Amino acid sequence: MTIIPNSSELRTLHIHSRQCTVQSVTVGGHPAEFTIHDPLSSITMGAAGEAPDCHKHAELKRRLYSAMQECDEGELSIALPRELPVRAASGASSVNGIVYEATPEPQTPGLASQPTAEFMPIVVNIAYSLRNPVDGFEFVVPSDAYPYRVPHAYTTPSSPDSARCWVPCVDNLWEKCTWEFEFVVPRYLEERVASDDDDESPDCIPTVVVCSGEFVEQVAHPYNSNKSIFVFSQTTLTSVQHIAFAAGPFHLFQIPSDSASDDASGSSQTPIYAFCLPGLESQLTNSTLFLRSAMNFYSSEFGSYPFGSFKLVFVDEMPTPRFDSSTLTLVSSDLLHGEDAIDQAVETRHSLSHALACQWSGLNIIPKTWSDLWLINGLSLYINGLFLRKLFGNNDYRFKLKKDMQRVTEWDIGAMPPICQPQILDPPDAATLPFINLKSPLVLHILDRKLGKSGTSLGLSRVLPKVFLSAISGELQNNALSTHTFLRMCRKVSGVDLRTFAEQWIYGSGCPTFGFSASFNRKKMAVEITMRQDCPAHTAMEGNEISKALFKPVQFFEGQMTIRIHEADGTPYEHVLDIRSPFKRYEVPFNTKYKRVRRNTKRYLARQAAAQAAAEGDVEAAEAMGMIDMGFGLEIWEKEEERENWKVADWTEEDEATMSGATYEWIRIDADFEWIASSKFEQPDFMWVSQLQRDRDVVAQLEAIDALAEKPNSIVSSTLTKAVLVSNYYYRVRCEAALALVQCAIRRLDFLGLFHLFKLFLRYCYEPEDPGQDLFAHKYVPKPNNFTDLPEYFVRKSLITAISQVRFENGNTPSVVRQFLIDQLRYNDNTSNPYSDGYYICTIIAAASFAIVSMSPPERGELAPSENRVEQNQEDIELIKQTRIEVDRYRSMDRLIPSPQNVVTIAALEFYMALGVANLVPNHPKTFFSLTRQGNYSQLRIAAFDGLFLTKWYAPQIMRYVFAVMANDPSRAVRRHVAKSACYSLAILAQMGEMKAAIKESETLLIEEDGNGNEKVKESKKSELDSWLKILRKDRELGKNEVIREFLMPIALMPDVDHEVRWCLLKLADLLIRPVEETPPTVKIHIPSTPIIEAAPQPPPVKTIVKAPRLVKAGGPPTKVAPTLATTKLKLPGTPTISSPRIPSIHVPPEPVKRGVSFAAPPTPTSITPSHKANKAKPSKPASSSKPVSTPKAQTAGMSVHDYKACKSALKKLKTNKHAALFLQPVDPIRDHAPNYFDIIKDPVDLSTMSAKLEEGLYKDRFAFQADFKLMVANAKLYNMVDSYVHNEAIALEIFFEKRKYLPCSS
């Protein structure tokens, strides 16, 4: 590697390197001394040969944190040889040496932003080997459990610092360099016969290496004909964390160029290569062929591809579904699918198109700081969504946006931080990253809508090409994009001020909840719309100032919202509401004249005439009607006999009268999708029906279905049934309508919704012979499957799910529903279907388990086996038996003819899990145990472990097996899942009633709740949690379990244990094992004597009663203490006064002055004058005539009364200022995540320290006080980067102080 020094004082290089055995190091051709020390691999507890104490898990956790911090400095230290001084560079020619240095090792120049180097580059050559790596590199080889597995190897993101685990490097996302690779691999992995050296055997598959960068050449090894050499070069500056490679007998498929592409000819299109293991070639073609259209879309819309080629490699045993690196993406083979797949094909297209989008944003462009990660991830997801819109259609895109928005509003109610927190320097937590990835593309979508409304802009379609172009051209420094730079570019392109937008949606947390109501004012000819806005996140943090400062919940959101009023003549009119307060009434002008409001308008009559013509068979009229009313012309709505057969309900005369008097058809709130918000709008049923049937927007249809589901009646049931039947609707809307029919399946409506669901599903079954057959008694025998109509396939699955959700009032499912699901399993026929029915069978099995389990909410602990309150009658027992027979039959079939990734067996296991938790079947480990062993598919093993953890897995024999899997299983994904499940299962088992004492304890806690508000609830929950932990730790089978105590710490201390498994084990120890009592660390503070000798002022002869000295506790205030006080642990030097204010860790409020007497600093004991002794011996009252004025303690340094009052007033107002929250107390490196604070800041000061110094009399005038304030502000600016939260708060506080002029000139 090539190093460019930044200083002539460079003597030692610190390089990250773990797991690597370094043989030798040369620097500039000279041998160099080096040391390598990995703190994580050398952690021990206790003496050698002694078993570690399981109660010391807290100490182990601290040692791990310390070791991880130590690793940040670099494990490999290289001393520069004396023969190689750091010389200044003669010119810019040295830069060429950086790029074209002929070495296979990675080259690491400094920051890419430096145009020329100041010093000559230094070439470092490290010879190292890597054997049996734990992290960073994965070897997949055949074994006894998997004898047919194809051997291959690849780099893997198994840990945050996995890059340093396979190459010595500077393991930093922002440290970029160019790379050159040379791989020497066996020509074939199989042993070949010596006679056919030159002719390739058809049975032998050559070894292929795929690496980040561009393929240069493949040559035969000069000394060994059985080896090949692959050479790759990456000339684009790339971080080591974005480098990956894979080696194995891969099959290559080059995705053909699109000859019909408009923007370029086939020869100039970026080459795309896909690789898979032998035997998966046909699936590879089906899974990746669409990537050419994705590449063309991204290149034409957002600028040219930033690299030379794109490669995709499918491998086994990936710990994550995908690993994106520069020009190369490693993907799990699970994403491959055959041509008979439906559900998998959709998922694969989502994942692989996103992998390609990450090459633009995520690999070529990186976040400037970790707080900008939302922008990089959001951009890749946003442009991926735009491609999926082209691939699947605009309806799918808008439907997904709406569903994602609903998930965000349910999630963002106070528990989630803002998507961008500039004050947080660490990477986002793994628990919040999914939320950030969900909300970020939505924020970019509403930003695009906002920019598009400016009139001069085309939204982000103008901004994003400029962003990607600036990265390719080098204009974007280090290709690191910040939120500030992005918003500035948006403002420059569109001219829109985005400060309010950014404060609300990017730097603030929470989403608004709107309540709207509308009424028509005939006098004003206007629609009066009332708007109320609530912010659940802000309400949840009411009174919690710390959470408010960290999460910044928005109190109310401002902006413009578009509403669309569909007036009676059928014309939609858009109006913009300017939202500036939480509550407001708007008057929206009405455009249709009053006399035209009635239904006998010409337009209305023309529509009726067109409907009549369409009913008589006029094709053109029918097409015209389709533009007005979706699905017109259904037989069930035209023939009276069919209407009766389907039990179609009609509007009553009263409803018709109300509808004819309505002034508008319906109203759409936020019609342009400009808000991430949940809206509640009240309008009559018939308006929602009109919106569902006549609005072409899928979001409007979805909103109508959600609103109608809350008002179940016969009209709603008929309307939803029509929506399911009409194929003009988008299929996902039809699925939602089917699920909404469950709300109409209630006794008040004679289960009309269930009737309609059965009637709809009857289309896929053999018709009953009797047309008047009662559908609730009919046997539903399905026709042979035919899934060629994909929308009907998804609708059919939704109907099965909806039927299983129908319930009686007592929470039980009607027996006809359970029998229906048994029949679907029993008579399913997929012999002539061109598509796989694996996922369809999974849907039926999941529906069957859902239907069997009662939905009646159990009381606490009622899931305990001895307290089963639902008595099963003979019919229920028989139905459960029949269902189990069918599920077991499919499970056996899945062994012989496996479904994709054994999804049917996984569904069968989940079926038994649900019944076991509900205590409907014996919950025994033997049901799941055999499938947890090696040899089964990884996802199947994970599902089996889930079932195992719902049983008494803490039996000693099973627990030994579980710990063995955590420590030694070859699959990293299985190890991690087992470790996490061990922690999560404890809470589930406790709620299932496995621990009787816990139930009794929690019941007593609930009785104490008296409804006095949230505080009582919080206290109750906290005490309940404490009681759970006590019970877990005292439980004989858990907390006192000898297997846990024997194996937990040794596995956590294993050098080759997975890092996630280790942390899960420590979490398990936190729950089950009481930590050892530890004495807090003692801090000894040596306060040197002040170099300036200050003579204490001679006290006046005051006669006072001198009390015995008050003892000062350890760590007490730095007050002036008499030398005779030896009880304090702070050993103060025997100086006359303590004048040094630099004691940042000791802060005690000043002691109030008693009896109006203030004591000056005492003189040394040897200088006590006889008059003092006399005063001490005569505690009589002093004569009033001779009483002098005593000096207050705060003025002992000479501060005037005027200055003291001014300083105290200024301090009081500073503390109450809204920007002062961060400066009220000293910086704690642990609490405030600032470990190196005291290395940078040598004179820390804060407002509480200034207050203590003021009261102690350590300021001689107001200028000293002002100097400390300026020092505090300067410290904040020095330690925190520009534009960070703390930096800005410091500036605001400084401006507040200077503007007010709190310290006037002394009189």
Side-chain angles (χ1 to χ4, degrees), residues 395-509:
N395 285 341
D396 184 87
Y397 176 71
R398 289 184 63 82
F399 184 91
K400 185 176 181 297
L401 278 179
K402 180 66 176 176
K403 282 295 184 183
D404 287 348
M405 185 265 288
Q406 290 175 351
R407 289 169 59 200
V408 168
T409 54
E410 292 169 4
W411 214 343
D412 201 4
I413 55 174
M416 289 295 154
I419 57 176
C420 181
Q421 294 177 287
Q423 72 273 22
I424 304 295
L425 304 179
D426 297 325
D429 187 68
T432 61
L433 192 57
F435 169 76
I436 293 174
N437 291 342
L438 178 65
K439 187 175 179 180
S440 299
L442 292 177
V443 171
L444 291 173
H445 171 78
I446 62 174
L447 174 62
D448 174 63
R449 304 298 301 169
K450 184 177 180 66
L451 297 180
K453 287 293 182 73
S454 67
T456 60
S457 171
L458 297 175
L460 289 181
S461 61
R462 288 279 302 277
V463 177
L464 296 186
K466 292 181 179 295
V467 172
F468 297 128
L469 179 62
S470 66
I472 294 177
S473 64
E475 182 184 345
L476 188 64
Q477 186 176 359
N478 203 29
N479 279 14
L481 181 64
S482 69
T483 305
H484 178 72
T485 303
F486 177 73
L487 293 176
R488 188 177 62 212
M489 195 173 293
C490 292
R491 185 171 65 248
K492 185 178 178 181
V493 170
S494 66
V496 179
D497 186 1
L498 297 173
R499 283 177 294 185
T500 303
F501 178 89
E503 287 298 326
Q504 292 179 167
W505 298 108
I506 298 175
Y507 301 116
S509 67

Side-chain angles (χ1 to χ4, degrees), residues 867-903:
E867 300 178 18
N868 185 15
R869 94 188 139 89
V870 180
E871 291 294 334
Q872 300 286 324
N873 56 33
Q874 191 59 38
E875 183 186 23
D876 294 335
I877 294 172
E878 183 61 28
L879 287 172
I880 292 175
K881 180 181 177 183
Q882 291 182 32
T883 310
R884 291 180 62 186
I885 289 172
E886 295 303 323
V887 170
D888 289 340
R889 181 170 67 88
Y890 276 99
R891 185 173 161 186
S892 301
M893 287 172 56
D894 201 39
R895 278 199 214 100
L896 302 173
I897 309 173
S899 57
Q901 283 92 41
N902 290 119
V903 290

